[in-house]
Every structure is written in structure tokens, then in C-alpha cells.
Amino acid sequence: MRMSRHAVGSFRARIADGVEVPRPHLAVALAHALRTTAVPEHAVATVATTLTADVVLCDQLSRLATDWRVALRRAESEAVDQLGVGLTPGAAHRLDLESGQRVLVVHGDGWSLVGRTPAVLVFLLDVAPGMVIDRSDAGGAAELVRGLTDQLG
């Protein structure tokens, strides 16, 4: 099931039901997809095709299960905290695009953040295998991605 305010339409991928994708693999696939598009729906469809697995996009946080919302809030808090204390080596990497934009991949304890500057921010949670949570419309998302980019730069 795809949860999104936008119809995926022709970008809907052929996917295999019930396949759980390990978070690092999903994060890497999403980072590669975001190198070619800044549209979360298109990136998720590309990932689903690449991994031939169920990948669900959710941008309506009220639809998330309570434990997923709690995990998302914790992950966001941890990502913000990492800005102040510095990122541990190997916990993150940055891909510079020819357009001048950047794609970030940050792994935390039970979560991954994949971001593309300036305004696309996506969290992946272990408690929700195959779930991509689009936070690109969330207040402070662009600032968080820019801050992480500066920290990694």
C-alpha cells in the first residue's frame, strides 16, 4: 500500500509483496534515486524497481502507527543532536551532484536519514521496514539537511 497525497501514476513500480529491505540497502538505493530526482514519489518508485521489493511512501504522519511516530521523533532529535556534537566517522556520507546540490545519507541507531538539498528530507526507520517517510514539507527540514551538509563538508 502506498500512502501519499500524490498519485504515483505511471511511476508505480512492480513490487514483490512482503519483502523486507534492510535499512542500509534501502537508504543507499534511495540516495541513488535522489541523485536523479528531487520528487520523493519518483525516488520511491525507482527504489522499488531497483530492489524489487515493497517500498511504502508516507507523507501523512497521522497515518503512522504510534510507535513509528515516536521512533520518527526520536530519530529527528538524534539527527539534530549530531549537529552539535559532530558525526562519528562512517556514520554519514555526502554525494555532490553536478547541479551543485547534495545528497546526504546518515545512519543512526535504528534509523537512517536520506536528504537532498535544499528541501527533500526522508527518514527510514528500522521499526518500519520498507517505509520511506517524506519530511520534505516539515518545518526545519531544509535547515536540517543544510546543517548536516555543512557538518559533513
Side-chain angles (χ1 to χ4, degrees), residues 76-91:
E76 288 175 323
S77 177
E78 289 176 17
V80 171
D81 288 347
Q82 284 189 353
L83 286 175
V85 299
L87 298 168
T88 57

Side-chain angles (χ1 to χ4, degrees), residues 99-124:
S99 65
Q101 292 182 315
R102 294 170 174 157
V103 174
L104 308 173
V105 183
V106 180
H107 296 297
D109 182 16
W111 57 270
S112 291
L113 178 152
V114 179
R116 175 175 167 161
T117 59
V120 174
L121 175 65
V122 179
F123 275 90
L124 310 171

Side-chain angles (χ1 to χ4, degrees), residues 118-121 135-146:
V120 174
L121 175 65
R135 296 293 278 160
S136 57
D137 291 329
E143 290 77 13
L144 179 56
V145 172
R146 274 196 293 274

